[in-house]
Amino acid sequence: MKSNRISERGEKGLKFTSYAVTILFLLFGTLPLVWLCLTSIMDNESIQSVTPKFIPDVPHTITVTLDFTGADSGDETFYKKEAMEAIWFPWASLIRNNIGEIIVNGTRDGQQLFRAKATSAQFYVGQMSIVPTRVVNDQVMKLKLPTIAERKLSDFEWYGPASKPAKATAPSSDHEVAKLYRDFFVSHDVLAGKITSVGHSRNKLRLFDSFASLQHIALGKAGDLGFYRYFINSGMVTFTVIIWQLVFAGIGSYALSQLIRSSRLRFFLLMFFLATIMIPGVSILIPQYILIKNLHLSDSLWAIILPHFAWGFVIFLFKGFFDQLPKELLQAARIDGAGELRTFLKIVVPMSIPVFTIVAVMTFVPVWNEFMWPYIVTKSPEHWTFPVAMNDMQQTTNRNTIVRPNLISASGVLSLIPLLILFISTQRFVEKGINFTGIKG
């Protein structure tokens, strides 16, 4: 059955063009985000490869068995040194082979003495501190053991000689990486124990070690919470500013819209708030910093929060919405004896959920992403927000850690998660709020 709908000339071409433009926009708009997520779980060699790679390789897991039967026995420190030598020295030599973790099992007379492990999250953070050069000897590792323990760069479980029986040793793998591991100790006779097995496997969880590396980088700098401290700081600053804007800007805008009878005074106050939008933020950085310093609030979260307590644009946005509220409903509430505060809380706020949501979103994004002002007023790492911490992480090349591209991508992915959650959960209210805010009048 043919449709009776009249088709205008060129309608099909216009529809095809609109779909094509939309698809291209989605493709090119999301490509940077997809690439950011992919590089966060790639190894450094894949990212810097001449031929672009879009599918990450699962990292290698090397499982080594060291047998100390017949060797001179030692205490726990001796075996810990042996385990660290079996992990760190060959890994530094095979750094281009995408190793995700090395596990070392130490045995003696059929008993398991220890189990040691280091992941790529620990190795790449501590490489410059533990194995910055290719010098391989016992003295080097003896000096590095305290650093490994202090920075938690490896896991070591000591069972002792009277421990559980060792598991049956699996045959050595013929994988290329396992062969390279064995060949390293053929040319470097540094271990007291004998390598009886070198196994190979792959662990998909090691793809996400770049995210765990961020925690190791921040430990000892931002306190025991490590990288979570930066998230908490950004969350506290953002949440405080949003609550302040919703409460005080909402009440102030309601007064400006509904309570001030003089149109001349109302116009003057509105122009005053709008004028503050026209002042470039950079031009007031120095006076603002001097004020915060004189208040003895520098290097604190309050120094970041206070300059965001008055936004003229938020006042304008709220007023545009409140101007459209039915005045008859507000007048009825006043006739029933409700005060202005009760009227605002019981009638205005429930009707204004869309504009409150859009103000919260529009406040969240710039405050969460702000870098310049927190960078100026905070010096201590425990007071850094997330963008400041990301900037500092990229400047650690000349320190104890070489920050690899996948670590920077991982931090970028983490910074996007709160924004994505916010937009997904508030999209309906944001769209509704845009239709009823001051854009119309």
Side-chain angles (χ1 to χ4, degrees), residues 13 41 70 81 128 143 156 165 177 179-180 187 196 221 229-231 262 281 283 313 320 322 327 340 355 388 419 435:
I41 58 177
K81 175 184 68 65
M128 290 301 296
L143 295 174
F156 183 82
V177 177
K179 291 180 179 179
L180 292 173
S187 57
T196 59
K221 179 183 294 185
R229 167 60 65 184
Y230 307 137
F231 260 108
S262 172
S283 64
F313 180 74
F322 293 152
K327 291 181 172 55
E340 293 300 337
V355 72
V388 179
L419 297 173
N435 294 328

Side-chain angles (χ1 to χ4, degrees), residues 73-139:
S73 61
D75 57 5
E76 180 181 349
T77 304
F78 168 79
Y79 289 109
K80 187 174 184 179
K81 175 184 68 65
E82 290 286 306
M84 297 303 106
E85 289 175 349
I87 292 175
W88 288 85
F89 288 148
W91 201 331
S93 178
L94 306 177
I95 195 171
R96 296 181 179 274
N97 288 273
N98 191 21
I99 296 177
E101 62 183 343
I102 295 181
I103 303 171
V104 178
N105 295 305
T107 63
R108 185 183 180 91
D109 297 327
Q111 301 291 319
Q112 185 168 1
L113 296 175
F114 64 83
R115 185 178 187 273
K117 183 180 78 169
T119 64
S120 56
Q122 296 168 318
F123 175 81
Y124 291 121
V125 168
Q127 177 198 352
M128 290 301 296
S129 300
I130 310 304
V131 284
T133 63
R134 300 299 174 87
V135 177
V136 179
N137 58 56
D138 284 339
Q139 296 302 320

Side-chain angles (χ1 to χ4, degrees), residues 8 14 61 81 84 98 143 145 154 180 250 279 307 331 336 345 362 368 374 386 393 413 424-425 441:
E8 296 184 6
L14 179 61
T61 295
K81 175 184 68 65
M84 297 303 106
N98 191 21
L143 295 174
L145 284 179
S154 293
L180 292 173
I279 302 175
Q331 189 64 30
D336 290 340
L345 295 177
M362 295 181 66
W368 178 267
F386 197 88
M393 185 184 67
V413 171
I424 291 173
S425 59

Side-chain angles (χ1 to χ4, degrees), residues 276-288 372-373 376:
T276 61
I277 306 176
M278 305 176 188
I279 302 175
V282 178
S283 64
I284 62 173
L285 277 179
I286 294 178
Q288 195 168 265
M372 181 64 71
W373 177 246
I376 292 174

Side-chain angles (χ1 to χ4, degrees), residues 274-380:
L274 290 179
T276 61
I277 306 176
M278 305 176 188
I279 302 175
V282 178
S283 64
I284 62 173
L285 277 179
I286 294 178
Q288 195 168 265
Y289 176 78
I290 295 174
L291 175 61
I292 292 297
K293 187 177 181 180
N294 290 337
L295 292 174
H296 303 288
L297 293 175
S298 58
D299 198 18
S300 68
L301 294 183
W302 282 111
I304 307 174
I305 294 171
L306 286 177
H308 295 295
F309 273 7
W311 285 6
F313 180 74
V314 173
I315 298 289
F316 176 74
L317 203 62
F318 269 126
K319 183 184 180 300
F321 187 91
F322 293 152
D323 285 345
Q324 302 176 64
L325 295 177
K327 291 181 172 55
E328 295 81 5
L329 188 60
L330 303 180
Q331 189 64 30
R334 296 187 184 104
I335 293 175
D336 290 340
E340 293 300 337
L341 182 60
R342 187 176 180 183
T343 302
F344 177 77
L345 295 177
K346 296 295 185 180
I347 297 179
V348 176
V349 171
M351 295 175 60
S352 307
I353 295 299
V355 72
F356 276 92
T357 303
I358 197 172
V359 167
V361 172
M362 295 181 66
T363 304
F364 183 96
V365 175
V367 176
W368 178 267
N369 293 329
E370 186 182 28
F371 166 72
M372 181 64 71
W373 177 246
Y375 179 75
I376 292 174
V377 295
T378 57
K379 296 180 180 179
S380 304

Side-chain angles (χ1 to χ4, degrees), residues 151-170:
R151 299 181 60 187
K152 300 179 182 179
L153 297 177
S154 293
D155 302 323
F156 183 82
E157 296 180 67
W158 172 248
Y159 304 125
S163 61
K164 59 184 180 180
K167 296 181 180 179
T169 303

